[in-house]
Amino acid sequence: MTTSRRTIIKGMAAAPLAAIAGAAFAPAVAEAGTLTPGQFTLAERVGNSHGSYADLAAGLARALPGATVADVLASANRDAKHLTGAPGGVGAFQDGFAWNPGDQGVAEWVPQGVTTSADALGSGVWGGKRVVLVSWYFDTDPNGDGTPDFTINKGVRVSFVDHTDRLAPKYRHVLLVEPVKTAAGAYSYAPVQRHAGGILWYGNLLYMVDTTKGLRVFDLDTLFEVATGKSDVCGLDADGRYYAHDYRYVLPQSAAYDNTGTLLRFSCLGLDRASTPDSLTVSEYAADLADPVVDYSGTGWNGNGTKIGTPKVVRWNLDHTDRRLGSTAASEAVTVKQGKIQGVVSQQSKHYLSTSNGSANGSLRAVTSGSDTPSTVARLAVGSEDLSFHGAATTDWAYTESVIWNLSEYAGTRYVYAVRADGS
């Protein structure tokens, strides 16, 4: 969820899996109507004020040892806990895990986005590994009282989870950074201080929504290993070494797609491998249908305060040869009369939505383009967030039917799990 629309349940205590389901399950009604897609456009950006991303990455490569996804997974330093049953109230449960106690209870880091190696490659595995990625944003005011508890915003981290042994998953966090130069002209980087409400792994690229601007892109072929031991330093330090808030690996931004068309808030996104060509879809969050989506203009936001109205699902085609957008103009756009959308993933004209419901269970909803007949697919966890579709054809994961991954955000009840896509 974005910071300004959070209805956070602060300090939710850990609870037995079966005990979370008590609240009523009453998702809002959804319906969809078509829009002219060409009004939604993006512009690819290949650099920032410090230079081109390629040149900045090359500068870092001369100063830092490179790393791979395999290196990150091989050095996994945290154990996740396999779920033997569904988190409280979740229906159609297939598989999943919970974080270690430290990440389960940490207040300042909040999980948001999910994607898997079944998104990255059609085979479903990356280097022979089944992998789940989860994004977290740093909350400087976890108490929600308006007074920051942390003076440093550490940005966004991504958990690389080795799920090859589903009974004993392991993971390591990687910090997302934007490459920059220091005042003296040295190559460095800074934390990506964004909400990271949705991520998408496609080939060697990791896409992340930037709520008020568009999409950020990170190239997994440019991972770097850095020094540890200084939790408050990110980038080139006075001692001549590079740090990343005590994380061992950094993933620098390699491109961006900035919104240039009709106003759209990039709250969540998902991959559609069923479409031709492959595509991604983006959706928007609104607290409820009487409270329009707002392009926030306050501190930390780049918007102008415009009210958008009914949330939308907008699709852009992808080019599988280079993993970038095939066109910067959208290929489909529909309105969706659904409040509290936290995740979206499409299968051709069918759009799955995860919706939150305060302290009650969220829901997985589905709507077809041009239809006004919504359906509830399954009940999700309290604090439900992003979605990732995992087709049954992805045989390397040994799921006999298609599943959809989801995750929950509240401290003490954080789960990453898959539900069967047909709700059975």
Side-chain angles (χ1 to χ4, degrees):
M1 295 187 291
T2 59
T3 304
S4 58
R5 62 162 165 85
R6 294 171 62 207
T7 314
I8 292 292
I9 303 173
K10 295 292 184 179
M12 287 185 69
L17 296 181
I20 308 172
F25 176 53
V29 172
E31 58 184 74
T34 58
L35 297 170
T36 302
Q39 64 186 292
F40 301 98
T41 57
L42 296 165
E44 185 175 15
R45 178 164 50 85
V46 296
N48 58 26
S49 61
H50 299 269
S52 75
Y53 287 125
D55 289 345
L56 294 168
L60 288 173
R62 291 190 290 270
L64 291 168
T68 66
V69 173
D71 293 330
V72 175
L73 297 175
S75 64
N77 59 345
R78 306 187 186 208
D79 294 323
K81 181 180 180 181
H82 169 66
L83 294 178
T84 58
V90 171
F93 175 79
Q94 178 68 42
D95 202 359
F97 60 88
W99 304 104
N100 76 3
D103 290 324
Q104 184 67 243
V106 65
E108 61 269 26
W109 284 106
V110 186
Q112 292 291 290
V114 64
T115 185
T116 77
S117 52
D119 284 335
L121 298 173
S123 66
V125 295
W126 186 273
K129 297 285 189 179
R130 302 166 185 147
V131 187
V132 179
L133 303 186
V134 172
S135 63
W136 307 61
Y137 76 91
F138 192 84
D139 185 358
T140 58
D141 180 23
N143 290 323
D145 59 4
T147 301
D149 299 292
F150 297 89
T151 58
I152 296 176
N153 183 341
K154 297 182 179 180
V156 175
R157 69 184 187 185
V158 173
S159 303
F160 283 65
V161 185
D162 185 346
H163 202 261
T164 308
D165 181 356
R166 56 187 289 271
L167 300 181
K170 296 179 178 293
Y171 64 100
R172 175 181 278 278
H173 301 309
V174 172
L175 195 72
L176 298 189
V177 296
E178 180 161 12
V180 299
K181 287 184 178 179
T182 67
Y187 291 97
S188 188
Y189 49 79
V192 176
Q193 296 173 345
R194 289 297 184 266
H195 188 72
I199 56 174
L200 165 61
W201 186 5
Y202 189 56
N204 62 308
L205 299 183
L206 179 67
Y207 288 79
M208 184 192 83
V209 288
D210 188 333
T211 314
T212 60
K213 293 191 67 175
L215 301 169
R216 294 191 182 217
V217 186
F218 302 81
D219 187 345
L220 289 164
D221 290 336
T222 60
L223 280 158
F224 295 108
E225 185 174 3
V226 299
T228 57
K230 292 189 175 183
S231 63
D232 289 341
V233 177
C234 185
L236 180 60
D237 191 42
D239 67 3
R241 307 180 78 189
Y242 289 83
Y243 298 90
H245 294 313
D246 221 16
Y247 293 104
R248 181 175 170 183
Y249 298 99
V250 296
L251 177 58
Q253 184 172 338
S254 61
Y257 288 97
D258 297 330
N259 189 24
T260 55
T262 297
L263 188 61
L264 180 71
R265 293 194 71 244
F266 293 73
S267 298
C268 50
L269 84 163
L271 175 69
D272 184 355
R273 280 192 173 275
S275 65
T276 304
D278 294 345
S279 59
L280 62 80
T281 48
V282 170
S283 192
E284 302 176 296
Y285 178 97
D288 59 58
L289 298 183
D291 182 9
V293 181
V294 174
D295 186 35
Y296 294 105
S297 58
T299 302
W301 300 96
N302 299 311
N304 59 15
T306 302
K307 291 187 176 181
I308 297 175
T310 306
K312 295 172 285 292
V313 174
V314 182
R315 181 192 304 271
W316 276 271
N317 291 335
L318 291 162
D319 184 344
H320 75 276
T321 62
D322 62 8
R323 305 298 181 169
R324 297 187 178 277
L325 295 189
S327 171
T328 53
S331 59
E332 181 188 17
V334 298
T335 58
V336 183
K337 292 184 178 178
Q338 173 68 62
K340 299 183 180 179
I341 297 172
Q342 304 281 12
V344 63
V345 67
S346 302
Q347 290 287 283
Q348 297 180 329
S349 62
K350 187 173 186 178
H351 310 289
Y352 293 93
L353 309 169
S354 63
T355 65
S356 60
N357 195 21
S359 60
N361 284 86
S363 62
L364 179 65
R365 305 275 279 160
V367 64
T368 302
S369 297
S371 170
D372 59 0
T373 307
S375 61
T376 297
V377 178
R379 182 160 23 191
L380 300 177
V382 176
S384 57
E385 287 291 328
D386 199 26
L387 296 175
S388 177
F389 190 90
H390 192 140
T394 313
T395 54
D396 285 324
W397 284 65
Y399 298 146
T400 58
E401 54 188 295
S402 297
V403 299
I404 296 177
W405 287 85
N406 182 238
L407 75 161
S408 50
E409 69 169 345
Y410 296 139
T413 55
R414 290 173 174 159
Y415 310 105
V416 182
Y417 60 95
V419 299
R420 290 179 287 278
D422 64 359
S424 63

